[in-house]
Amino acid sequence: MSAVVDVVRAELFKAFRKRRFYALAGLYWVLLPVVALITAAVLDRNLTGSFADQNGTIVQVVQGFASPFGLARLALMAPALMSPTAYIIAVALFAGLFIGEERSHHMWKTTLAVQPARMAVLIGKLTSGMILLGLLLAGGLATASLAGAAGMLFLPTTFGGTWGSLVGLFALQWLHLLAALTLAYLLVFLVRSGTLGIILVIFLPALLEGLWAILNTLQQLEPLTRFNAVFQALRLKQAWEGLPQLFFTANLYAPARHPLGAFVRSTGASANADLGPIGNLLGQNLTLPHAALVMAGYTVVFGLWLAWVLHRRDIE
Amino acid sequence: MTSAITASSLTKRYGRVRAVDAVSFDIQPGEIVGFLGPNGAGKTTTLRMLAGLVRPSTGSCSLLGSPVPGAGLREVGTMIEEPSFYPYLTGRGNLRHAAILHGGVPESRIDEVLGFVRMERAADKKVRAYSQGMRQRLALARALLWRPRVLLLDEPTNGLDPAGIAEVREALRTVAAEGVTVLVSSHILAEIEKLVERILAIDRGVLRYDGPLHGLLEAAGAGGVEYDIEATDGPALVAALERIGYAPVARGERGASVAIPSNQAAGLLARLGAEGVEVIEARRATATLEEAYLKLVGAEGRPS
């Protein structure tokens, strides 16, 4: 246990001397709330009382994303709605820092000679990554709430909201990121290249899921194609169509995307529209317990794989 | 007494190639042992196996009585091949990182080891600005950070100037005097000769010699020693050496090189004098250990 603590302390000592953490934190903690508040102020000044403002729509919209609760909710959702998502970019950067750099600076031989307990090194590096991700998320929640509170001085917003649920979603999203972090460490370690590993982390899951979408479209084509013939012959159609329920990306961001319906409703739009396969990819039909279970499964698989390769590999 | 380092039939295969082939040796606490071998002989692979970085294909090794990998590794300081650091950290920062990572190293020890390798003045510069010699010193400081009982050093004097080499030699003597066991490989055989009393020589993965330094030198001396001799009259010198029964090679107008049995070296000058040759200077042509080493590993073997 003390070896793990030593590794965590050493890795954080290193991480806090890298600019990337502060750059990420600056973008997330400062830029996002500032842009949201400026947008809300512009909407409020220019559209309140205009033709677009029917039944207090503008106030609802501003409350939806610029109130303390709305802004904190936006801090949870926005990183999951980019492409690639800010969450996976942060994960990839930390994987580059904690795993990729060991290779690019030829540090594995030194690290494992200084701290020979390989499993302690692995657990310590995962813990360090999770601490940094937790700091980013907690900081995001705090700064967004504070910025929203400051916005109350010049915007028609209130403090209200289901705060307990939101904090729970932040915590759940943080836990889900453990699966992404484990996958990122595994890929960066396996490909033995920090840069290629980071690229794979960002694009591989989305690429595989995109391939599914293409194949799914092909096998639904009429008349009969080779694809749907194979699928029908193998009686795999149901399993194939149910596959998105197990997709990494959709389940990974389920907590962050969970409040999307409420947010869309707050803007006056209908969140009941059938988005089809895209809805599946967004995780619209996934429940949080299901997503948590799937991500736990991914974490176990990636974690065991990573532990095995780190334990077995010769350090050259 | 428990051995400090033990290798038992240590073997490492890469595909069909045996990088290290059934190497066995035993090093007692406090010994300083030189590890010699040409490039690709298996020195670094052996050191990596001892450091727990590479798994042996067969065989085993232990440090301080504990099998590798195991608890003994925490008592080991290593410098394996080119020293590596985080370039964006300072020298002191790299040492602090290593101290935290290892655990149980007081902050004051960092200044102590920096002073020991004479790196106090450069300690707060980023490592990316360090010369090769500075990196070597910092790596040695890191290897000493947690007061290891065993040091595994691969070419620790690489890139150092003569003064730096002498300093490292003194540093290793100092730590060895404190009871630290040192296994050191170096391509500077003259340095090894000044530092160690025991030699392990490996070639093509096979341990060719394990014994005292003087044993290796005596074995080499039995075959003859090469001398460079300079006299007032070169042709007369060559002719005299031929008359005595040697096969000299003329070197310039006044010199010659000749290989003679080591037990005849003492009487050589007197015999040349008797032949009427006025000798100006006579000196051994090569370092003693290098001679012995090259004889051991064969003509194609070159110190690495």
Side-chain angles (χ1 to χ4, degrees):
Chain A
M1 187 59 192
S2 74
V4 173
V5 173
D6 291 337
V7 176
V8 171
R9 287 180 57 223
E11 293 302 282
L12 293 181
F13 169 84
K14 190 175 75 180
F16 288 131
R17 280 155 185 80
K18 293 288 280 189
R19 289 196 197 102
R20 68 183 69 174
F21 177 75
Y22 300 101
L24 276 173
L27 286 171
Y28 184 43
W29 295 352
V30 180
L31 194 64
L32 178 72
V34 167
V35 169
L37 285 179
I38 291 171
T39 308
V42 170
L43 280 179
D44 184 48
R45 298 284 178 280
N46 295 301
L47 294 181
T48 301
S50 73
F51 72 95
D53 188 17
Q54 294 173 355
N55 303 320
T57 306
I58 298 302
V59 171
Q60 286 174 29
V61 168
V62 169
Q63 173 72 18
F65 76 88
S67 66
F69 178 80
L71 206 43
R73 186 174 58 185
L74 189 67
L76 174 68
M77 285 192 309
L81 297 175
M82 301 169 179
S83 182
T85 71
Y87 287 126
I88 205 71
I89 289 173
V91 161
L93 288 177
F94 292 149
L97 172 64
F98 292 128
I99 303 292
E101 268 193 2
E102 299 288 12
R103 180 163 184 82
S104 60
H105 297 319
H106 307 286
M107 282 300 286
W108 273 122
K109 65 180 181 190
T110 302
T111 301
L112 294 178
V114 174
Q115 179 48 266
R118 292 192 182 194
M119 285 310 105
V121 170
L122 175 59
I123 294 168
K125 281 176 175 286
L126 278 170
T127 307
S128 305
M130 287 304 286
I131 287 173
L132 291 187
L133 288 169
L135 268 179
L136 277 179
L137 282 171
L141 173 63
T143 54
S145 307
L146 285 173
M152 287 167 66
L153 298 173
F154 56 91
L155 291 170
T157 51
T158 62
F159 201 76
T162 50
W163 283 97
S165 159
L166 186 65
V167 171
L169 287 173
F170 264 97
L172 193 58
Q173 183 58 61
W174 174 67
L175 287 173
H176 277 214
L177 289 176
L178 177 58
L181 198 66
T182 317
L183 171 66
Y185 281 18
L186 177 65
L187 288 175
V188 173
F189 191 79
L190 284 178
V191 300
R192 303 185 187 206
S193 156
T195 310
L196 183 59
I198 288 172
I199 292 169
L200 278 177
V201 172
I202 293 174
F203 295 110
L204 187 65
L207 181 70
L208 293 175
E209 289 159 20
L211 277 175
W212 174 89
I214 294 168
L215 289 173
N216 193 45
T217 307
L218 286 174
Q219 66 101 15
Q220 284 176 4
L221 289 176
E222 294 293 344
L224 197 67
T225 65
R226 282 180 190 148
F227 285 103
N228 59 28
V230 168
F231 274 81
Q232 284 168 15
L234 294 174
R235 299 177 187 278
L236 285 173
K237 199 165 191 303
Q238 274 192 324
W240 176 255
E241 287 179 349
L243 212 51
Q245 298 284 318
L246 302 175
F247 273 2
F248 184 79
T249 310
N251 286 286
L252 174 61
Y253 304 121
R257 290 171 178 172
H258 185 72
L260 189 59
F263 176 72
V264 170
R265 273 192 299 279
S266 77
T267 64
S270 168
N272 297 324
D274 181 10
L275 298 174
I278 295 172
N280 284 333
L281 286 173
L282 279 173
Q284 205 180 43
N285 302 322
L286 299 173
T287 64
L288 290 178
H290 166 87
L293 203 63
V294 171
M295 294 322 288
Y298 276 120
T299 305
V300 169
V301 171
F302 296 148
L304 289 175
W305 191 354
L306 182 57
W308 187 75
V309 294
L310 183 62
H311 177 70
R312 296 289 306 173
R313 181 170 284 182
D314 287 344
I315 305 299
E316 299 296 346
Chain B
M1 190 194 301
T2 307
S3 298
I5 305 172
T6 305
S8 306
S9 302
L10 208 51
T11 301
K12 183 64 185 178
R13 283 187 296 270
Y14 293 102
R16 290 181 180 177
V17 178
R18 281 174 180 256
V20 176
D21 192 1
V23 165
S24 298
F25 55 81
D26 198 65
I27 299 175
Q28 295 305 309
E31 275 193 277
I32 308 187
V33 179
F35 199 21
L36 306 182
N39 278 332
K43 298 190 304 292
T44 301
T45 305
T46 305
L47 289 174
R48 282 176 188 277
M49 284 192 279
L50 292 172
L53 299 174
V54 168
R55 302 165 68 87
S57 304
T58 58
S60 62
C61 49
S62 65
L63 294 167
L64 303 163
S66 160
V68 175
L73 285 173
R74 283 189 59 80
E75 304 284 337
V76 177
T78 60
M79 270 179 79
I80 308 277
E81 285 190 316
E82 190 87 351
S84 55
F85 299 96
Y86 296 112
Y88 52 85
L89 294 180
T90 61
R92 188 186 300 279
N94 270 283
L95 291 187
R96 187 166 291 142
H97 176 265
I100 299 170
L101 185 62
H102 186 272
V105 179
E107 183 74 19
S108 60
R109 179 65 180 158
I110 294 172
D111 287 321
E112 217 174 297
V113 292
L114 281 169
F116 191 70
V117 298
R118 301 190 181 182
M119 282 286 290
E120 307 100 315
R121 288 173 66 187
D124 294 315
K125 286 182 184 167
K126 294 269 171 70
V127 166
R128 67 166 62 97
Y130 278 18
S131 67
Q132 171 75 8
M134 291 161 86
R135 293 167 68 92
Q136 288 291 129
R137 287 164 189 261
L138 191 64
L140 182 60
R142 183 171 56 197
L144 296 170
L145 204 49
W146 45 91
R147 298 184 191 280
R149 291 166 61 195
V150 173
L151 275 176
L152 302 174
L153 306 176
D154 192 10
E155 313 280 3
T157 52
N158 241 0
L160 292 178
D161 54 26
I165 291 171
E167 283 170 17
V168 167
R169 186 176 66 228
E170 284 313 306
L172 292 181
R173 277 194 181 135
T174 305
V175 294
E178 292 168 1
V180 176
T181 309
V182 183
L183 178 58
V184 55
S185 80
S186 175
H187 67 287
I188 304 174
L189 300 181
E191 280 310 310
I192 288 279
E193 193 174 4
K194 289 174 188 166
L195 184 65
V196 309
E197 292 184 350
R198 179 177 164 195
I199 294 286
L200 298 174
I202 189 171
D203 185 30
R204 297 187 187 91
V206 179
L207 195 63
R208 302 280 291 274
Y209 180 82
D210 176 3
L213 175 67
H214 64 81
L216 187 60
L217 301 179
E218 281 167 9
V225 181
E226 190 171 322
Y227 277 86
D228 286 337
I229 304 170
E230 197 176 323
T232 50
D233 184 348
L237 170 66
V238 171
L241 287 168
E242 284 171 346
R243 280 197 299 279
I244 295 169
Y246 303 140
V249 177
R251 301 270 185 234
E253 290 181 3
R254 300 198 297 184
S257 294
V258 64
I260 61 171
S262 53
N263 59 358
Q264 295 178 14
L268 178 63
L269 293 182
R271 295 182 71 181
L272 284 174
E275 292 285 340
V277 176
E278 193 178 337
V279 174
I280 300 170
E281 186 183 9
R283 62 180 179 275
R284 290 184 74 129
T286 52
T288 310
L289 179 59
E290 189 167 321
E291 267 176 14
Y293 167 73
L294 288 173
K295 277 190 179 173
L296 187 73
V297 300
E300 71 276 25
R302 288 292 177 269
S304 64

